[in-house]
Amino acid sequence: MSGTITITFEGEPVEAREGESLAAALTAHGIDAFRTTRCEAERGLFCGMGVCQDCLVEVDGKPNQRACMTRVDRPLSVRREAHARPLAPAMQGQPPATIGDVEVQMPEILVIGAGPGGLSAAIAARRAGAQVLVVDERSQPGGQYFKQLSVGAEAGPPPDRQHREGAALIEEARSLGVELRSGVTVWGAFEPNEFAATAAGRPLRLLPKAAIVATGAYERGWPVPGWTLPGVMTTGAAQTLWRTARRLPGRRVLIAGNGPLNLQLAAELIEGGAEVPAVVEAAPRPGLARLGALLAMARSSPRLIRDGLRYHAARRSGGAAMVHGMVVAGIEKTPAGLQVRLAPAAGTGAERRYEVDAVCLGYGFEPSNELLRALGCGHDFDPVRRQLVTRRDARGLTDMAGVYALGDCTGLGGARAALAEGTIVGLAAAAALGHAAPAGSRAASRRAGRDLARHRDFQKALWSLYAAPAYSSKLATADTLICRCEEVSFGQIEEALGEEMELIGAVKRRTRVGMGRCQGRYCAPVLDALLAERFGRPRDEFSGFAPRIPVKPVAIGDLAGPGAG
Ligand code: FES
């Protein structure tokens, strides 16, 4: 049984559960504004997975710490991060690190990302005899899909099947001798066998013989008025609160977006005691014409269909309405909380409003392909799923020698497909390094191939069922922020486009869009779509901003000192 730890926020005591994230502890105590921006706007938890950089706080005097990635393991003194606050000197008089102080690890195979695909690949490669290191930015392995409870059993319901399946995978990797390192942020990829990272505030060089990139995906932005308000977060962030810390994002929560994850979240939050007035789905209500897709899904994965039915039953029993064909068109702060305005996804029709204290937005995902793109791996734009897809062969090898990629970072395919792909890629990477195929590996590879095909069929049918109109800039007003980080509004971008700036780089230089801490992860896809729409250009492999090193913000102090040892 884990205990409680008293932390302070702006000098006031807050009872936290040992092991939970700082974001979870603060949210549970009704604190939703974690920082203020240059424009004096309040921001709070948004992505919940270390991408958006909106939940920055000062922890024990150290500025710019992500509350969602900070584990409460001791009494912490936390302050709201203010944009204008002077930064503490990074080095504080200590000698800087030299290259000789930097920790170096030289695994045979480096797997970046400890989600389903990364773990599965590590297990397969290890079984073949390779020495494998898996690094992940989170405090625990499992990724988004298999995230594990981080607090004691007394905090809420026991782990469910998804937790247990993830725990078994993690245990299998450990027992085989895979080295799992959590809390490692890989921020640079310089050539196929050189990666730069930080771990526990120190630099780390990773020099593998082969690399498997399995960095997953993050939720797409939905730039409408009010989407940056505290209390508005992604579906994944709310799910992380519940599935890791048994905390709720609010008492009354509206869930809106596109895809089945929103439904799962509704079932989970209702289980946790939240009131969910509605689940708002952008896709139209499936009619008889979609029966074929449903049958294809049932054939490919009856278990996932059963899960879906279970989530619907939980939603109904919790009194949450299912609203189809509508999207969030605006969110306003009111004295009582947040007022959400829904508009028809097709553009015309009556609006609806809900009063809630938290809003979860889950409008699909973007692949986390920054490291792959930084390495120079080729990508193609998929106009159907509106995402970049990594060029790979059937074994997951990219067009860079020694660099493999799998799972959602290569194009969205879901956790089940990533698990199957992991086996194929892990075996291939080990074989390429000269490890003989272990007994049973051919059968395992064939089975994984069949599973992969099945889950790809499932995903295809699923997204035909959930086909919905793309984000439209008609949802933005002149003041709506397109770039959360640099606070660049739709009006400012419109102005730049009016000056015939056709290239994303020109708009970036003119407005600072994409120059913020998230490195354009949220604003680039929106800006790209706006440019394609305005100038009638197809989106292609050069979509978005070129990834820049560091692909994740890294403190100078963490790179330069104090020296190790
Ligand atoms: S939203 Fe982060 S840089 Fe634009």
Side-chain angles (χ1 to χ4, degrees):
M1 179 173 147
S2 62
T4 57
I5 295 179
T6 303
I7 62 173
T8 60
F9 182 75
E10 294 290 330
E12 296 295 320
V14 170
E15 286 296 297
R17 291 173 180 158
E18 184 179 354
E20 71 180 331
S21 71
L22 193 45
L26 297 179
T27 303
H29 287 80
I31 299 165
D32 60 6
F34 294 0
R35 73 175 180 105
T36 50
T37 68
R38 190 181 47 206
C39 300
E40 304 285 318
E42 289 184 330
R43 292 289 172 83
L45 175 64
F46 180 66
C47 74
M49 57 189 296
V51 176
C52 76
Q53 315 284 323
D54 259 339
C55 65
L56 297 179
V57 286
E58 184 188 291
V59 179
D60 292 339
K62 194 170 181 188
N64 298 322
Q65 302 301 298
R66 292 169 295 178
C68 71
M69 303 299 275
T70 304
R71 189 167 179 265
V72 179
D73 54 8
R74 61 185 195 282
L76 303 170
S77 167
V78 186
R79 291 181 68 196
R80 203 169 261 131
E81 191 65 73
H83 177 80
R85 182 179 296 167
L87 295 181
M91 311 300 289
Q92 301 184 331
Q94 289 169 279
T98 65
I99 192 73
D101 296 324
V102 175
E103 183 191 350
V104 177
Q105 274 200 275
M106 300 172 67
E108 254 196 302
I109 297 180
L110 170 69
V111 180
I112 306 174
L119 288 172
S120 160
I123 288 168
R126 183 70 198 127
R127 278 194 195 287
Q131 184 232 340
V132 185
L133 167 68
V134 181
V135 297
D136 193 280
E137 195 173 8
R138 296 175 175 83
S139 58
Q140 299 189 88
Q144 276 295 91
Y145 187 74
F146 283 143
K147 49 197 162 218
Q148 299 292 296
L149 269 178
S150 60
V151 293
E154 69 285 358
D160 61 20
R161 193 183 65 200
Q162 196 169 321
H163 283 115
R164 292 194 302 272
E165 208 184 326
L169 199 66
I170 296 164
E171 182 45 37
E172 187 180 355
R174 282 211 174 103
S175 64
L176 284 167
V178 170
E179 186 184 352
L180 296 175
R181 270 189 87 165
S182 297
V184 176
T185 302
V186 180
W187 55 261
F190 300 100
E191 45 185 303
N193 59 358
E194 175 154 14
F195 295 84
T198 52
R202 289 184 186 279
L204 171 65
R205 272 178 89 205
L206 298 162
L207 307 174
K209 290 191 177 138
I212 299 176
V213 180
T215 39
Y218 62 93
E219 265 141 324
R220 262 190 188 144
W222 190 251
V224 294
W227 78 299
T228 55
L229 287 169
V232 180
M233 66 187 75
T234 65
T235 292
Q239 202 191 38
T240 299
L241 291 178
W242 177 247
R243 293 191 67 79
T244 66
R246 296 309 194 205
R247 298 292 202 183
L248 296 170
R251 285 167 289 109
R252 187 172 152 86
V253 186
L254 186 84
I255 304 170
N258 179 221
L261 184 63
N262 298 309
L263 198 56
Q264 179 178 356
L265 177 68
E268 289 169 343
L269 296 189
I270 287 167
E271 178 192 22
E275 186 191 345
V276 179
V279 179
V280 184
E281 170 54 54
R285 184 180 296 282
L288 277 181
R290 308 279 177 173
L291 199 59
L294 267 173
L295 288 174
M297 287 162 63
R299 263 198 312 274
S300 306
S301 186
R303 185 176 128 181
L304 293 180
I305 289 286
R306 279 197 299 277
D307 285 348
L309 293 173
R310 199 159 45 80
Y311 299 146
H312 265 301
R315 170 191 65 74
R316 270 194 297 272
S317 71
M322 190 73 222
V323 177
H324 279 97
M326 299 199 89
V327 293
V328 170
I331 305 160
E332 271 173 43
K333 194 168 174 172
T334 68
L338 298 167
Q339 187 187 72
V340 190
R341 182 167 57 83
L342 303 183
T348 51
E351 294 188 344
R352 288 193 198 184
R353 283 170 201 269
Y354 285 91
E355 303 279 347
V356 290
D357 47 30
V359 184
C360 301
L361 303 175
Y363 284 94
F365 296 88
E366 291 287 341
S368 281
N369 52 22
E370 304 78 25
L371 289 173
L372 292 167
R373 294 175 68 208
L375 280 168
C377 300
H379 286 78
D380 296 298
F381 189 76
D382 171 1
V384 178
R385 298 291 305 276
R386 302 186 282 268
Q387 62 179 355
L388 284 178
V389 175
T390 312
R391 274 179 223 146
R392 300 174 298 156
D393 69 11
R395 299 160 302 156
L397 184 65
T398 67
D399 46 21
M400 299 291 293
V403 180
Y404 297 77
L406 64 87
D408 286 350
C409 68
T410 66
L412 275 302
R416 299 278 146 199
L419 272 171
E421 260 191 332
T423 301
I424 297 167
V425 175
L427 286 171
L433 292 175
H435 292 281
S441 67
R442 278 225 181 98
S445 200
R446 275 200 300 272
R447 208 166 38 245
R450 284 195 298 274
D451 281 352
L452 182 57
R454 213 159 46 78
H455 288 298
R456 282 186 175 154
D457 286 348
F458 180 90
Q459 288 285 320
K460 201 168 162 204
L462 176 77
W463 289 107
S464 76
L465 203 64
Y466 276 100
Y471 168 80
S472 162
S473 59
K474 292 194 179 74
L475 290 169
T477 64
D479 293 337
T480 304
L481 294 185
I482 299 294
C483 180
R484 299 175 67 92
C485 302
E486 287 296 310
E487 299 181 286
V488 181
S489 68
F490 180 61
Q492 288 169 289
I493 288 173
E494 278 285 284
E495 214 175 288
L497 297 186
E499 293 167 16
E500 294 302 312
M501 286 188 190
E502 288 198 25
L503 297 176
I504 196 164
V507 182
K508 182 178 183 178
R509 284 189 292 277
R510 168 79 159 76
T511 64
R512 292 192 62 80
V513 66
M515 288 194 189
R517 288 173 164 271
C518 88
Q519 297 249 23
R521 283 171 176 83
Y522 288 97
C523 57
V526 180
L527 180 57
D528 225 20
L530 289 179
L531 285 164
E533 185 186 295
R534 158 102 42 150
F535 300 109
R537 262 201 327 251
R539 290 170 71 183
D540 60 17
E541 91 159 293
F542 302 106
S543 288
F545 306 119
R548 300 248 183 262
I549 304 292
V551 300
K552 291 257 170 122
V554 50
I556 295 291
D558 289 354
L559 292 184

